[in-house]
């Protein structure tokens, strides 16, 4: 785990920004933190869960639909998408401020020790969100690029070259954000016990609940987990 100083330098409840390249374990990380007490927003706004999973993630994506839609709108306004990324994101949707504040309001209707916003697209759009956070903490996750490429080939029929380029761009942005803001970085390829240990350390640092993740974890969470 790469960890950064001054993580809990505020009395405000932290807002966790859970992100990383697509197919890199962000859904697993989001649910693990949710089980540890992180509020992911109203359940009616979840993209999907392990109760009603969508093809691609056996135990759900655990991300907020409106957060996802805002990030899609930011990308669309800049004539790009999650898999076609420009060098800069300069344009801002006209209603961005209201929509983001509405998301915060919906989250804060339920009191919690921490709130979580999960979307791989934050690797690209985070600069547009940061001004709205009082106490943002980035929790990033990465994975072997060849495993990501294999997973995207299966799900999206992407070429390996395209997927590897996306992996590089997403993780370059992620490291930039982690150097600039508070945060942690973990490796989805760590063996299970080490992965659990590092997530537990993050939870302790953030004053979250310590739980046993072993009962929830399964190999289904690591699709395309091949050796190369």
């Amino acid at each position: 785990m790469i960890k950064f100083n001054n993580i809990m330098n505020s009395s405000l409840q932290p807002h966790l920004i859970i992100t990383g390249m697509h197919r890199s374990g962000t859904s697993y990380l989001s649910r693990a933190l949710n089980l540890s007490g992180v509020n992911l927003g109203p359940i009616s706004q979840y993209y999907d869960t392990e109760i009603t999973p969508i093809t691609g993630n056996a135990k759900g994506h655990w991300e907020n639909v409106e957060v996802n839609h805002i990030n899609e709108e930011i990308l669309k306004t800049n004539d790009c998408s999650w898999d076609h990324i420009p060098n800069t994101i300069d344009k801002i949707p006209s209603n961005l401020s209201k929509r983001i504040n509405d998301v915060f309001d919906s989250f804060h209707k339920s009191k919690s020790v921490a709130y979580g916003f999960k979307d791989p697209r934050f690797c690209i759009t985070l600069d547009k969100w940061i001004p709205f956070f009082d106490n943002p903490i980035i929790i990033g996750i990465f994975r072997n690029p060849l495993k990501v490429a294999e997973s995207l080939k299966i799900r999206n029929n992407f070429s390996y070259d395209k997927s590897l380029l996306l992996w590089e761009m997403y993780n370059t942005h992620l490291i930039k954000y982690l150097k600039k803001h508070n945060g942690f970085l973990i490796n989805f390829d760590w063996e299970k016990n080490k992965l659990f240990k590092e997530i537990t350390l993050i939870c302790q640092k953030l004053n979250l609940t310590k739980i046993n993740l072993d009962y929830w974890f399964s190999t289904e969470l690591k699709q395309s987990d091949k050796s190369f």
Side-chain angles (χ1 to χ4, degrees):
M1 174 177 64
I2 298 176
K3 50 189 176 181
F4 297 82
N5 295 325
N6 301 318
I7 290 296
M8 293 299 290
N9 60 355
S10 172
S11 60
L12 297 169
Q13 286 105 338
H15 279 265
L16 311 183
I17 302 161
I18 305 161
T19 193
M21 172 60 190
H22 298 263
R23 318 308 294 167
S24 295
T26 56
S27 298
Y28 161 77
L29 178 59
S30 182
R31 177 56 170 158
L33 292 167
N34 174 240
L35 290 170
S36 301
V38 176
N39 184 345
L40 300 177
I43 194 167
S44 61
Q45 295 179 12
Y46 286 8
Y47 183 54
D48 69 332
T49 69
E50 58 201 285
I51 299 171
T52 55
I54 293 175
T55 301
N57 272 9
K59 291 203 172 186
H61 287 77
W62 296 98
E63 63 188 40
N64 182 280
V65 172
E66 185 58 22
V67 170
N68 179 274
H69 287 172
I70 291 171
N71 278 328
E72 287 284 359
E73 185 66 23
I74 292 172
L75 295 173
K76 182 179 178 181
T77 300
N78 286 273
D79 300 316
C80 61
S81 64
W82 73 268
D83 62 327
H84 294 282
I85 306 167
N87 292 326
T88 58
I89 302 286
D90 295 325
K91 300 176 184 176
I92 300 175
S94 58
N95 60 348
L96 182 65
S97 178
K98 181 183 184 306
R99 291 182 68 182
I100 290 180
N101 282 316
D102 286 347
V103 167
F104 275 95
D105 288 342
S106 70
F107 273 62
H108 291 163
K109 286 179 180 178
S110 299
K111 297 298 182 183
S112 180
V113 293
Y115 301 91
F117 293 64
K118 175 258 178 177
D119 192 346
R121 295 163 186 79
F122 277 126
C123 286
I124 312 302
T125 66
L126 188 56
D127 279 339
K128 300 297 180 285
W129 285 80
I130 284 293
F132 298 90
F133 286 97
D134 290 321
N135 187 22
I137 297 171
I138 301 169
I139 303 185
I141 188 167
F142 70 99
R143 187 185 188 192
N144 184 308
L146 296 178
K147 294 178 181 178
V148 171
E150 178 67 15
S151 186
L152 285 173
K153 182 176 179 63
I154 294 170
R155 191 188 73 172
N156 300 91
N157 198 30
F158 286 177
S159 69
Y160 289 132
D161 285 345
K162 176 176 180 175
S163 296
L164 293 173
L165 179 60
L166 284 170
W167 183 95
E168 181 180 17
M169 295 177 73
Y170 270 74
N171 284 289
T172 297
H173 283 289
L174 176 59
I175 293 298
K176 177 190 71 175
Y177 290 136
L178 284 167
K179 288 181 177 179
K180 187 176 180 180
H181 306 286
N182 292 328
F184 302 89
L185 180 63
I186 63 176
N187 183 350
F188 195 46
D189 289 319
W190 283 331
E191 55 90 18
K192 185 177 71 172
N193 289 337
K194 180 174 175 61
L195 192 60
F196 289 174
K197 179 181 178 181
E198 297 295 343
I199 291 175
T200 298
L201 287 174
I202 291 174
C203 290
Q204 289 175 342
K205 188 74 173 178
L206 299 177
N207 298 320
L208 300 175
T209 303
K210 180 181 179 181
I211 68 165
N212 180 8
L213 293 169
D214 191 66
Y215 81 93
W216 180 73
F217 183 89
S218 74
T219 55
E220 289 179 309
L221 296 168
K222 289 192 171 186
Q223 297 184 46
S224 305
D225 198 13
K226 296 183 177 181
S227 297
F228 290 86

